[in-house]
Amino acid sequence: EAGVTQFPSHSVIEKGQTVTLRCDPISGHDNLYWYRRVMGKEIKFLLHFVKESKQDESGMPNNRFLAERTGGTYSTLKVQPAELEDSGVYFCASSPRLGMGGGYTFGSGTRLTVV
Amino acid sequence: RKEVEQDPGPFNVPEGATVAFNCTYSNSASQSFFWYRQDCRKEPKLLMSVYSSGNEDGRFTAQLNRASQYISLLIRDSKLSDSATYLCVVPQGGKLIFGQGTELSVKP
């Protein structure tokens, strides 16, 4: 089965620009998560979708970040306008059922650099 | 205090050595725990789950001490391919709380 796919793998943008990250979860996985690792820090939770609904968005840093999951399939994470501190690796993960910490599958991440 | 704290590392060990990583967690209500492995510039991948007092899988042993809120990962007979960052992970509701990770480098 195909894994979690993220696009692009790398993105370099200027401060003030907009970037949209995409995640395609494993087919049939209702739960989709976004995480971020800023250099030198631990991986941190951003938000959680169950199908198309936002279950928990407590980790979203501010209103420059907008996540959507159209039709409960793929998800996008838009950063607008990007700031220098948004640089990091953005991971997407999916799981078939809630609470399956061991059942997560992570994508290979999008490395975002804001200059 | 961070929710999940790990030995900072890096650990540099020779092949064949035994190495142990420690992790403490702050939420006493946590019931399950995980060790993930992350290779350089790759995604985290599940290494072991820990639900009771411990778990063993080949050269890897994870132990849990609920009273001390402490989890450990022991790697015996280290291989070059064990070089990676090891992440202690504690679920909280629907999300995962990660430690900062401990870097392991196994040298020939």
Side-chain angles (χ1 to χ4, degrees):
Chain A
E1 102 185 318
V4 176
T5 305
Q6 291 188 244
F7 182 83
S9 57
H10 294 81
S11 180
V12 180
I13 61 172
E14 292 184 351
K15 177 182 171 181
Q17 289 186 321
T18 297
V19 63
T20 300
L21 314 181
R22 173 170 170 144
C23 170
D24 286 77
I26 291 174
S27 178
H29 281 195
D30 287 344
N31 294 281
L32 185 149
Y33 311 83
W34 283 98
Y35 287 81
R36 175 175 76 169
R37 185 166 200 164
V38 172
M39 185 177 290
K41 303 280 189 178
E42 65 273 21
I43 297 172
K44 285 195 171 179
F45 168 83
L46 296 178
L47 88 159
H48 170 206
F49 283 100
V50 177
K51 297 185 180 178
E52 67 276 7
S53 299
K54 290 177 185 174
Q55 182 78 13
D56 181 356
E57 52 184 328
S58 61
M60 294 287 264
N62 51 60
N63 59 10
R64 295 186 293 102
F65 289 74
L66 175 65
E68 294 179 324
R69 190 180 182 191
T70 306
T73 55
Y74 71 91
S75 175
T76 58
L77 179 64
K78 184 193 299 189
V79 185
Q80 179 183 32
E83 298 290 344
L84 298 178
E85 65 263 25
D86 300 333
S87 295
V89 183
Y90 290 76
F91 290 105
C92 176
S94 70
S95 70
R97 293 191 302 278
L98 184 65
M100 287 184 61
Y104 273 54
T105 301
F106 281 85
S108 54
T110 294
R111 186 171 297 274
L112 175 65
T113 304
V114 183
V115 297
Chain B
R1 181 187 174 186
K2 287 188 176 181
E3 293 177 271
V4 180
E5 292 198 73
Q6 295 185 240
D7 286 348
F11 284 61
N12 297 300
V13 302
E15 269 187 293
T18 295
V19 61
F21 306 137
N22 302 320
C23 171
T24 57
Y25 60 95
S26 61
N27 186 353
S28 59
S30 298
Q31 294 295 312
S32 58
F33 309 87
F34 304 97
W35 284 101
Y36 274 72
R37 170 191 169 132
Q38 186 175 23
D39 291 286
C40 186
R41 294 181 174 265
K42 299 282 189 179
E43 70 273 23
K45 291 186 178 178
L46 179 67
L47 177 67
M48 296 185 74
S49 304
V50 188
Y51 294 106
S52 56
S53 61
N55 190 15
E56 185 171 328
D57 182 5
R59 298 182 295 109
F60 298 83
T61 301
Q63 291 192 313
L64 169 63
N65 183 320
R66 291 188 187 276
S68 301
Q69 295 179 209
Y70 168 97
I71 313 151
S72 65
L73 177 68
L74 183 77
I75 305 176
R76 291 180 296 276
D77 189 23
S78 300
K79 311 290 185 191
L80 297 177
S81 57
D82 294 334
S83 297
T85 296
Y86 290 83
L87 304 167
C88 178
V89 181
V90 182
Q92 186 179 92
K95 63 189 179 188
L96 301 181
I97 308 298
F98 285 81
Q100 194 164 351
T102 302
E103 185 181 343
L104 172 65
S105 180
V106 182
K107 306 291 187 184

